[in-house]
Amino acid sequence: MYDVTIIGAGVSGVFLAYTLAKEHPEWNIHVIDKGKPLVERTCGLQQEGCTCEGPCDRYVGFAGLGKSEGKFNYTNDFGGQLGRKIGEKETLALMEEVDELLCSYGGNLVERYSTKNEKLSAKAAQHSLRVFSTEVRHLGTQLARGIFQRMYEEMSEKITFTFEADVTAVTKEEGLFSIDTNHGRFESRKVVLATGMSGSDWLKSKTAELGLKAGETRLDLGIRVEMRGNQLDAILQETFETKLHYITERFSATTYCMNPRGRIVRKYQHGLVMADGQNQNEEEPSQNLNFTLFVPRYYKDQAEAMAEAHRVIGGINQGKGRIVAQKLGDLLEGNPSDRLSSEVIHPSLEAEAGDLQKEVPPLYIEALLEFFEALEGLLGEKIDRDTILYGLDSKFYEAKIFTDKHFETELSGLYLIGDCSGETHSLSQAAASGIYLARCMKA
């Protein structure tokens, strides 16, 4: 019998379990995950595609996506709505605790930096752009792995972990939860679902079986941009990166995962292959800068959102992991690209040169071109026509299931935290939600 069982050992689940063990040392805590312990998480994604026989090690297992680059943005400007749910001041205070905890295990080996720039914000506003600001602790994959491994070694002395577990049923009878798995049945007084986006299909199925209904679902799609490394120097003189927001009556668009001297890599999620960005510290730096311009859309449920993602990105992939790219100049002239490399920009990802207008819905092209026009005004120069545009990147979200201020669902004793709650979309807010719930829980 466990006092609390946490299903999902991603960032939210890890910080919840860690804090519960500190706050309630007398409690019997159990963490179940479909993936492997951190030291066993290896995957050839960056080489020849995923080599995992079961769930992909890059996304599933202890620490979840926290071990992949480990970028913690401490802000309410983006990364979720945790501030709206529990209060912005409390959210920021909790994220400070997240940072202090990371530093206690070695996170202070990399400096924390700020993207705040009031002069840039004022100038951007003149061109219909808003600058989102954040404090950032960018651990990088190697340091993040070390931090979470040290946390695991300490936690495993107080907490029971069950890895490579398939949870087939979660039921509640006479005030107790039963969790059926391939490792047997476990009983628990409380259950927390912390499965993140990697467990979206499982979460949808199990919450429906428990009588919980999900609402609308957000899906972000956007073109990944790779430009010459000094293209944004005019706005990056005092900060490593920035996040720009552009809004019209038809759409809103936000830059995401800006990587000066980074590389474009393949991202594998939900059976799709996308163009993602990688920090300069992960592999040999490039001479380019990359980011995605995401445009959010909302769908009536998770199934409709996933169907749209598979229609658009799956259509580009053509069942063979295909990614198409085009030079900006060719796009503007209405011509397909026959080659991507130039004297100015060498692509960091091997992609098929082609015509984005035949592959990508018009909304995402129109949004990018309008954004570029505003960005040119801010920079005071044209965007290089050799800039490479990759179709397509995406960011998935869970459908929102009602939870109260303490993340408890309508089924007493069942909680949702992190990204599967629909309230957080970043490592820092997911971790903060875990600490918050631990403090709210009572015997």
Side-chain angles (χ1 to χ4, degrees):
M1 169 69 70
Y2 294 97
D3 293 294
V4 180
T5 295
I6 303 164
I7 301 178
V11 168
S12 62
V14 167
F15 277 79
L16 169 61
Y18 183 95
T19 309
L20 281 176
K22 295 287 186 182
E23 301 272 329
H24 302 282
E26 75 283 4
W27 283 12
N28 200 2
I29 303 165
H30 187 199
V31 179
I32 299 174
D33 196 88
K34 189 176 181 69
K36 301 173 183 177
L38 186 53
V39 293
E40 297 178 25
R41 291 179 63 187
T42 57
C43 180
L45 271 176
Q46 304 302 346
Q47 289 77 43
E48 300 176 358
C50 180
T51 59
C52 304
E53 294 183 3
C56 180
D57 287 346
R58 188 180 184 194
Y59 305 107
V60 179
F62 186 84
L65 279 172
K67 71 96 180 175
S68 179
E69 291 206 30
K71 188 176 185 180
F72 286 78
N73 291 301
Y74 305 120
T75 182
N76 283 315
D77 277 2
F78 57 90
Q81 295 83 45
L82 188 60
R84 294 182 194 173
K85 189 174 184 72
I86 68 173
E88 293 197 351
K89 287 185 177 179
E90 181 158 13
T91 298
L92 290 174
L94 287 167
M95 287 191 283
E96 286 297 326
E97 287 192 51
V98 170
D99 192 56
E100 289 171 8
L101 183 56
L102 292 171
C103 287
S104 72
Y105 287 91
N108 54 357
L109 290 175
V110 294
E111 288 190 18
R112 178 166 154 171
Y113 62 88
S114 174
T115 66
K116 189 172 184 178
N117 187 322
E118 293 182 1
K119 184 184 292 186
L120 175 62
S121 296
K123 185 177 180 181
Q126 298 173 10
H127 300 279
S128 303
L129 292 167
R130 180 187 172 192
V131 179
F132 287 158
S133 62
T134 180
E135 296 280 322
V136 185
R137 181 85 64 181
H138 198 158
L139 303 175
T141 301
Q142 185 174 1
L143 180 57
R145 286 183 70 101
I147 289 169
F148 282 104
Q149 180 59 28
R150 287 188 285 275
M151 289 180 69
Y152 171 73
E153 290 168 0
E154 183 176 319
M155 293 168 67
S156 62
E157 297 177 1
K158 311 168 187 176
I159 297 168
T160 301
F161 287 90
T162 302
F163 290 106
E164 297 183 80
D166 289 318
V167 177
T168 55
V170 179
T171 56
K172 186 180 183 184
E173 292 183 7
E174 299 180 358
L176 289 178
F177 288 93
S178 294
I179 302 129
D180 292 328
T181 78
N182 56 327
H183 293 275
R185 171 174 286 188
F186 304 103
E187 292 189 332
S188 186
R189 301 184 192 281
K190 299 177 188 292
V191 170
V192 182
L193 305 183
T195 51
M197 270 310 304
S198 296
S200 59
D201 291 339
W202 179 92
L203 180 73
K204 178 184 174 184
S205 169
K206 295 300 173 282
T207 51
E209 291 171 6
L210 291 166
L212 302 174
K213 294 183 179 179
E216 69 175 13
T217 305
R218 174 178 167 178
L219 172 68
D220 292 0
L221 296 179
I223 294 170
R224 193 87 197 177
V225 177
E226 187 167 36
M227 52 178 47
R228 56 182 167 83
N230 62 354
Q231 178 77 79
L232 301 186
D233 279 2
I235 62 175
L236 295 180
Q237 292 176 352
E238 299 177 11
T239 183
F240 175 73
E241 61 175 302
T242 192
K243 187 178 285 282
L244 299 170
H245 183 65
Y246 180 73
I247 187 167
T248 72
E249 292 182 355
R250 294 180 296 111
F251 62 83
S252 65
T254 307
T255 61
Y256 174 79
C257 194
M258 186 174 288
N259 296 295
R261 302 192 70 205
R263 309 184 74 84
I264 308 287
V265 297
R266 291 174 180 268
K267 175 170 68 179
Y268 298 76
Q269 280 184 296
H270 301 290
L272 301 170
V273 184
M274 293 147 281
D276 194 13
Q278 189 178 63
N279 181 263
Q280 63 173 318
N281 296 322
E282 297 302 311
E283 291 186 20
E284 183 180 347
S286 76
Q287 298 302 311
N288 306 331
L289 177 147
N290 70 76
F291 62 85
T292 293
L293 186 75
F294 274 137
V295 178
R297 307 295 283 177
Y298 292 86
Y299 299 86
K300 67 178 182 181
D301 54 32
Q302 185 86 26
E304 187 176 79
M306 292 303 295
E308 177 66 3
H310 278 269
R311 182 187 73 82
V312 176
I313 301 173
I316 296 172
N317 290 164
Q318 296 182 357
K320 55 185 179 182
R322 174 177 174 266
I323 292 176
V324 67
Q326 185 177 18
K327 288 184 180 181
L328 174 61
D330 291 332
L331 176 66
L332 292 172
E333 293 171 6
N335 299 321
S337 292
D338 55 14
R339 61 192 298 270
L340 300 174
S341 188
S342 69
E343 292 183 3
V344 178
I345 302 171
H346 300 285
S348 58
L349 177 70
E350 186 175 338
E352 182 177 316
D355 188 348
L356 289 184
Q357 291 182 316
K358 293 182 178 179
E359 311 273 355
V360 175
L363 171 67
Y364 305 103
I365 295 175
E366 292 167 9
L368 183 69
L369 295 181
E370 286 189 32
F371 168 77
F372 274 170
E373 185 176 348
L375 182 59
E376 287 175 340
L378 176 60
L379 294 173
E381 64 176 88
K382 292 288 186 181
I383 303 297
D384 198 301
R385 285 345 188 213
D386 284 329
T387 294
I388 303 170
L389 313 175
Y390 296 83
L392 209 58
D393 193 4
S394 69
K395 187 170 175 60
F396 299 95
Y397 298 83
E398 286 292 354
K400 267 196 178 183
I401 294 172
F402 172 79
T403 59
D404 65 15
K405 188 178 179 181
H406 298 152
F407 287 92
E408 189 169 15
T409 69
E410 294 173 311
L411 181 60
S412 178
L414 180 70
Y415 302 80
L416 299 176
I417 59 165
D419 288 10
C420 72
S421 71
E423 301 290 355
T424 75
H425 313 311
S426 66
L427 296 178
S428 54
Q429 288 201 21
S433 74
I435 296 177
Y436 175 81
L437 176 56
R439 303 259 168 80
C440 293
M441 275 191 167
K442 295 178 174 59

